[in-house]
Amino acid sequence: MKRGCCSRNLHYCLLCFFTLVSIATCKTIRYRTYEEDDPGTVIGTLAEDMHLNLPAEGSFRLMKQFNSSLIRVRESDGQLSIGERIDRERICKQSITCNLALDVVSFSKEQFKLIHVEVEVKDINDNSPHFPSLEIPVEVSESASVGTRIPLEIAVDEDVGSNSIQSFQISVNSHFSLDVQTRADGVKYADLILMKELDRESQSAYTLELVAMDGGSPSRSGSAMVMVRVLDFNDNSPVFERSTVTVELMEDAPVGFLLLDLHAVDPDEGANGEIVYGFTPQVSQEVRQLFKIDPKSGRLTLEGQVDFETKQTYEFDVQAQDLGANPLTATCKIIVHILDVNDNAPAVTITPLTSISAGVAYITEAAAKDSFVALISTTDRDSGANGQVHCTLYGHEHFKLQQAYEDSFMIVTTSPLDRERIAEYNLTVVAEDLGSPPFKTIKQYTIRVSDENDNAPVFAKPVYEVSVMENNAPGAYITTVVARDPDLGHNGKVIYRLAESEVNGAPISTYVSLDPATGAVYALRTFNYEILKQLDLRIQASDGGSPQLTSSSIIKVKIVDQNDNAPVIVNPVLSNGSAEVVIPARAPHGFLVTQIKAKDADEGVNAELSFSLSEEGRSLFTINKVTGEVFLTADVSDDLGQVFKTVVTVTDGGRPSLSTTATVSFLVTAATPPANHEVMQPSSWEEKVSRWDIPLIVIIVLAGSCTLLLAAIITIATTCKKRRKESKAGKERDISELEKGEQDDEELIDSPKGNLFDARPFPNATPFTGTEAAPAAAVVTPEVPSAEESFSAGLYDTQKRLRTANNEVRLRPCTGGTGCVNTAL
């Protein structure tokens, strides 16, 4: 077992589909095994030999090998064993070394290592030497000189090294011996050497056994019979200028290219001196197809296309033979060295760890920076600079190339990936050799980013505000929430859920239901605005990833009020829809009898109430439509026990409006109106004014003020002019009398035209006659303590006007409602 650095033959890629840290270097380990070992034979264990401390979940995985069935890898500890019987000669043929290259990945949850494994297959002596034919015919002239070399056919042994042919033997004889030589490619061969002059007349043929033996243990051998025929005498044999010729041939040389011009001479005359050229019988068929020799001129030319990457050296013999009756031959050894030219473009191999289709690699978007994506292996059949390859990656800055070892590069990430931004990368790999001119190979490669659950669902709005009319039907649709998740598959499938909470002591799930697939919200019950005005729902959206990601949104469901509640009269207290209110005898018109109070469970316009009386009650009573205050419109007589009935209607402002009615009976009693209060009755004109719009009233008041101001100015101007006239007539008046003007002022105040109300003492009030009284102002009541304080406490606090000792009227501020009118006297 031996360890070393990485070799150049790694032909597949790794794609990291875990979140892994990158590896700075590649580990290489070498093993040895022998061919023909039984399947299951253990070669080595990676975990032990590399001293790897792997966690319990760590494992090994065989990525790829040239012959995937030859070697197996156990995932638990990386044990290498033979998968099927290995025939070295079939895999590597005559190569001196035979290596099986494979790559193994050891990985855990946190890291992984790339291990390059080379298994050297050692040769065993399982092949015997053998000759192309069992008989080797040889012809030699009886005049051949001692030392003449006669080429023999080359024996073959598929084994290599010491197991190949190492020696030759020939049967014992007195005329021939063997000379063993080594060819340029390391193959040994034997030539027959003439050791003693021949005499055809004495012996015309010789039969010799030629044995080839390898160096194995035990040794194997093969034999052939050499049939030597002695030819009749020919004085001189042809002679080459050189016995060995070495030439160099570019591999891109065209067919017909002249390698060399052979020349041999024979001093004989006639046919004995004429020479023809050709290959010796031992020359292989491969050489005869690649090269051609002209029989007459001896010109050696190229007949076929040679390839440096297939074979670098050719060695063969050419003979020159005369045309005598007993022809003589001479041989010349030709050695042709093939020179490499840059005629091969680099080959690029990219094999990912995870791939669904060819040319596509996958990597998780959760991969950290500098994570492995793929391994690029390049090969170039040329040699030297022509076979050195430089690789470049184009396409996107998220990936780069990092050299793993000779002619192999790793594609690694340069930054974190986000599938939601870029889901696919189209990269271009350019492999270029260093030849002149250089050859390049361009390969397109696609990297797809696999999805991770890294995005939580996102709602279209953080808060939804919707409205639902009360009194809805159960099952009514409310709204739909939408959450989007840019992840794929289960990672992007959104499921909606209603967060648990309580409303008025009941679970929220009893109020609404939520469709988990669509996010549609439906009402489960009828809502009542008077009980529940707003319903707050928290909706959770979860994806189907692992771990699951969740987000939430709020739905504020506002219940919209409907006019579904009629007003309820709370004062006076009703009994079976009616109530009784007492009126003191001799109560003046304008007297505040009572105030109708009502409530409405609705809100807003639906709860804006207005009060009205039936037609039969309007002859004696009037009501403020806004405040519900009921006033007398005429004086009440002192007849005790009288009962006046009217129907009070309270109407809200809804559409359609709802109303309620009550029958109110007014009973005249002996109670005396309080003496310390002055009540007032709004006139019919005031009641009408109260119905006008406030802006209209303001405009009328301003217009009236301007008119009064203009009248005052005109009056003053007229008075001044009149005084000047009287002064000229000699009529002087006492200035003090003009300043008093008591009589004029009193008349101005008491004039009905200048007042909105008439003031009269309460005892002087006229009894009720059944007809409507004329418009009256506030009634002046003597300040005499009342006998019934409880009754006076319920009176409406009206504006009062008290006369002073100098007969001047003073006004108290009005504390009433809309029906109260302040007058400036």
Side-chain angles (χ1 to χ4, degrees):
M1 182 184 305
K2 294 175 64 178
R3 294 180 177 88
C5 61
C6 298
S7 70
R8 62 176 292 177
N9 294 319
L10 180 63
H11 293 280
Y12 51 90
C13 309
L14 294 175
L15 175 64
C16 174
F17 55 88
F18 301 104
T19 305
L20 305 173
V21 297
S22 62
I23 301 173
T25 58
C26 167
K27 297 290 185 179
T28 299
I29 185 169
R30 289 191 173 92
Y31 292 98
R32 289 179 180 175
T33 188
Y34 287 91
E35 64 172 333
E36 307 296 339
D37 279 348
D38 294 332
T41 301
V42 177
I43 300 174
T45 304
L46 294 174
E48 296 177 0
D49 299 335
M50 298 191 68
H51 307 289
L52 298 177
N53 295 322
L54 294 177
E57 64 271 16
S59 61
F60 293 82
R61 179 176 298 175
L62 176 62
M63 299 299 297
K64 186 179 179 181
Q65 59 177 323
F66 291 108
N67 297 280
S68 58
S69 60
L70 296 180
I71 298 179
R72 296 175 182 171
V73 178
R74 190 163 63 187
E75 291 188 357
S76 59
D77 57 359
Q79 183 188 82
L80 304 178
S81 60
I82 294 177
E84 64 180 30
R85 191 177 300 276
I86 300 174
D87 185 359
R88 185 187 183 281
E89 288 74 33
R90 181 177 62 85
I91 298 173
C92 302
K93 297 183 179 180
Q94 295 299 115
S95 298
I96 299 300
T97 59
C98 181
N99 291 325
L100 298 180
L102 58 144
D103 285 304
V104 178
V105 173
S106 67
F107 60 89
S108 64
K109 289 185 177 180
E110 297 181 353
Q111 64 177 357
F112 77 96
K113 293 181 182 292
L114 173 65
I115 305 172
H116 182 62
V117 180
E118 292 183 357
V119 179
E120 181 183 2
V121 180
K122 303 295 291 184
D123 183 51
I124 63 173
N125 193 23
D126 56 344
N127 292 281
S128 298
H130 60 276
F131 289 91
S133 58
L134 296 178
E135 293 185 358
I136 302 175
V138 172
E139 293 181 345
V140 59
S141 173
E142 64 176 334
S143 63
S145 59
V146 174
T148 298
R149 182 180 295 272
I150 304 170
L152 299 176
E153 289 186 356
I154 298 176
V156 178
D157 192 332
E158 285 77 9
D159 296 323
V160 296
S162 60
N163 294 327
S164 63
I165 297 175
Q166 300 296 319
S167 61
F168 292 89
Q169 292 181 357
I170 196 170
S171 58
V172 178
N173 66 92
S174 59
H175 287 80
F176 299 97
S177 65
L178 291 178
D179 181 22
V180 180
Q181 299 186 64
T182 303
R183 215 165 58 183
D185 56 2
V187 176
K188 296 183 181 299
Y189 63 95
D191 288 341
L192 194 63
I193 304 299
L194 182 61
M195 303 298 297
K196 183 179 179 181
E197 292 183 354
L198 298 174
D199 184 3
R200 190 185 67 82
E201 287 75 22
S202 299
Q203 187 174 352
S204 60
Y206 297 86
T207 301
L208 307 175
E209 183 182 16
L210 178 63
V211 179
M213 295 172 292
D214 60 28
S217 180
S219 177
R220 290 174 176 263
S221 61
S223 62
M225 302 304 295
V226 180
M227 313 300 293
V228 180
R229 185 167 72 92
V230 181
L231 303 178
D232 192 19
F233 174 74
N234 188 352
D235 292 75
N236 296 286
S237 61
V239 178
F240 283 98
E241 294 177 349
R242 289 179 294 175
S243 59
T244 302
V245 179
T246 302
V247 295
E248 293 181 345
L249 177 65
M250 302 295 290
E251 65 171 327
D252 62 346
V255 175
F257 179 78
L258 177 64
L259 278 77
L260 54 87
D261 193 352
L262 295 173
H263 184 66
V265 296
D266 190 329
D268 292 331
E269 293 183 353
N272 292 332
E274 293 182 9
I275 299 174
V276 293
Y277 301 91
F279 295 110
T280 61
Q282 296 78 19
V283 174
S284 65
Q285 190 63 30
E286 178 189 12
V287 173
R288 295 175 184 272
Q289 291 176 352
L290 291 177
F291 303 100
K292 178 181 179 181
I293 187 169
D294 189 285
K296 294 183 177 181
S297 64
R299 292 166 59 90
L300 182 64
T301 57
L302 185 64
E303 184 70 12
Q305 191 68 48
V306 294
D307 186 5
F308 173 84
E309 289 71 37
T310 302
K311 192 170 185 178
Q312 293 80 38
T313 303
Y314 294 91
E315 185 174 332
F316 53 90
D317 293 328
V318 176
Q319 70 178 12
Q321 184 178 21
D322 59 27
L323 299 179
N326 298 309
L328 298 178
T329 60
T331 59
C332 178
K333 183 176 294 296
I334 307 297
I335 300 174
V336 179
H337 293 294
I338 308 300
L339 302 181
D340 182 49
V341 296
N342 193 24
D343 59 344
N344 291 282
V348 178
T349 303
I350 307 176
T351 308
L353 178 63
T354 303
S355 179
I356 300 176
S357 58
V360 179
Y362 288 83
I363 182 172
T364 174
E365 64 175 328
K369 179 183 177 182
D370 294 329
S371 294
F372 283 96
V373 179
L375 210 73
I376 301 176
S377 296
T378 63
T379 56
D380 195 318
R381 297 177 61 193
D382 298 322
S383 61
N386 296 332
Q388 295 179 10
V389 180
H390 175 72
C391 204
T392 309
L393 182 67
Y394 300 95
H396 206 280
E397 65 274 8
H398 282 176
F399 300 92
K400 69 176 180 179
L401 281 185
Q402 179 178 320
Q403 189 162 11
Y405 43 90
E406 185 182 2
D407 295 340
S408 293
F409 304 86
M410 294 180 292
I411 300 179
V412 298
T413 60
T414 59
S415 60
L417 305 176
D418 187 358
R419 187 205 63 80
E420 287 69 39
R421 292 183 58 196
I422 304 178
E424 183 175 290
Y425 296 86
N426 293 315
L427 305 181
T428 301
V429 178
V430 178
E432 186 175 14
D433 60 31
L434 302 182
S436 181
F439 277 81
K440 68 173 59 176
T441 298
I442 300 175
K443 192 166 186 177
Q444 304 293 331
Y445 203 75
T446 299
I447 297 177
R448 291 177 183 164
V449 182
S450 58
D451 184 54
E452 289 288 333
N453 191 27
D454 56 347
N455 290 279
V458 178
F459 282 94
K461 299 178 182 178
V463 177
Y464 292 81
E465 293 185 356
V466 297
S467 299
V468 177
M469 296 293 293
E470 67 171 331
N471 304 319
N472 59 287
Y477 170 79
I478 297 178
T479 188
T480 298
V481 294
V482 178
R484 306 292 184 188
D485 194 322
D487 294 324
L488 294 179
H490 290 290
N491 295 335
K493 185 178 181 180
V494 180
I495 300 298
Y496 301 93
R497 184 175 66 87
L498 183 64
E500 290 297 333
S501 62
E502 288 189 355
V503 178
N504 297 333
I508 192 69
S509 58
T510 63
Y511 284 83
V512 296
S513 67
L514 175 66
D515 190 320
T518 64
V521 182
Y522 300 91
L524 291 180
R525 61 169 66 177
T526 300
F527 298 135
N528 189 343
Y529 176 81
E530 288 69 38
I531 299 176
L532 181 65
K533 293 180 173 53
Q534 181 169 309
L535 195 62
D536 291 337
L537 312 176
R538 179 176 291 276
I539 307 299
Q540 292 182 343
S542 304
D543 58 29
S546 180
Q548 193 176 64
L549 299 180
T550 303
S551 63
S552 62
S553 179
I554 300 295
I555 303 179
K556 293 184 177 181
V557 182
K558 295 182 179 180
I559 312 302
V560 179
D561 184 41
Q562 281 188 326
N563 193 25
D564 57 344
N565 291 279
V568 177
I569 297 175
V570 297
N571 185 56
V573 179
L574 302 180
S575 175
N576 295 327
S578 62
E580 187 175 274
V581 177
V582 296
I583 305 175
R586 293 174 296 174
H589 62 279
F591 180 77
L592 176 63
V593 179
T594 187
Q595 183 178 10
I596 307 299
K597 295 182 180 180
K599 292 183 179 180
D600 195 318
D602 296 321
E603 286 191 357
V605 177
N606 297 330
E608 293 181 358
L609 305 180
S610 62
F611 302 84
S612 63
L613 297 176
S614 61
E615 185 69 29
E616 59 180 343
R618 294 179 187 174
S619 59
L620 181 59
F621 303 99
T622 183
I623 190 169
N624 188 312
K625 63 176 296 185
V626 176
T627 64
E629 296 167 333
V630 180
F631 298 93
L632 288 175
T633 58
D635 295 337
V636 177
S637 68
D638 55 0
D639 294 335
L640 300 180
Q642 293 184 84
V643 177
F644 305 98
K645 290 187 178 182
T646 185
V647 176
V648 178
T649 302
V650 184
T651 306
D652 60 28
R655 292 188 180 180
S657 62
L658 300 178
S659 62
T660 186
T661 61
T663 302
V664 180
S665 300
F666 296 94
L667 175 64
V668 179
T669 65
T672 303
N676 59 342
H677 287 83
E678 187 177 36
V679 297
M680 74 171 223
Q681 159 68 29
S683 65
S684 59
W685 177 86
E686 181 187 357
E687 184 177 355
K688 295 178 181 179
V689 168
S690 65
R691 301 178 184 176
W692 296 354
D693 292 337
I694 297 301
L696 181 60
I697 296 175
V698 172
I699 293 173
I700 294 174
V701 171
L702 292 176
S705 301
C706 293
T707 303
L708 292 175
L709 179 60
L710 180 60
I713 294 173
I714 295 173
T715 302
I716 294 172
T718 305
T719 303
C720 292
K721 185 176 181 181
K722 183 178 180 182
R723 286 177 180 176
R724 285 196 298 270
K725 290 180 180 181
E726 289 177 353
S727 177
K728 292 179 181 181
K731 295 180 181 180
E732 295 182 355
R733 298 181 63 179
D734 191 353
I735 298 176
S736 60
E737 293 178 359
L738 293 174
E739 291 176 349
K740 292 179 181 179
E742 294 178 356
Q743 185 63 31
D744 296 338
D745 293 339
E746 187 175 355
E747 291 176 359
L748 179 62
I749 295 174
D750 293 336
S751 174
K753 297 180 180 179
N755 290 281
L756 186 60
F757 299 96
D758 290 333
R760 291 175 293 176
F762 181 78
N764 298 331
T766 59
F768 175 69
T769 60
T771 60
E772 185 165 339
V779 178
V780 178
T781 305
E783 297 186 4
V784 179
S786 173
E788 296 179 17
E789 294 294 332
S790 60
F791 179 82
S792 62
L795 291 177
Y796 179 74
D797 188 11
T798 61
Q799 174 181 335
K800 299 175 177 69
R801 183 174 60 183
L802 301 178
R803 293 186 181 275
T804 59
N806 57 1
N807 205 24
E808 182 181 357
V809 178
R810 294 183 181 177
L811 297 179
R812 291 188 180 182
C814 176
T815 59
T818 307
C820 180
V821 179
N822 288 326
T823 58
L825 299 180

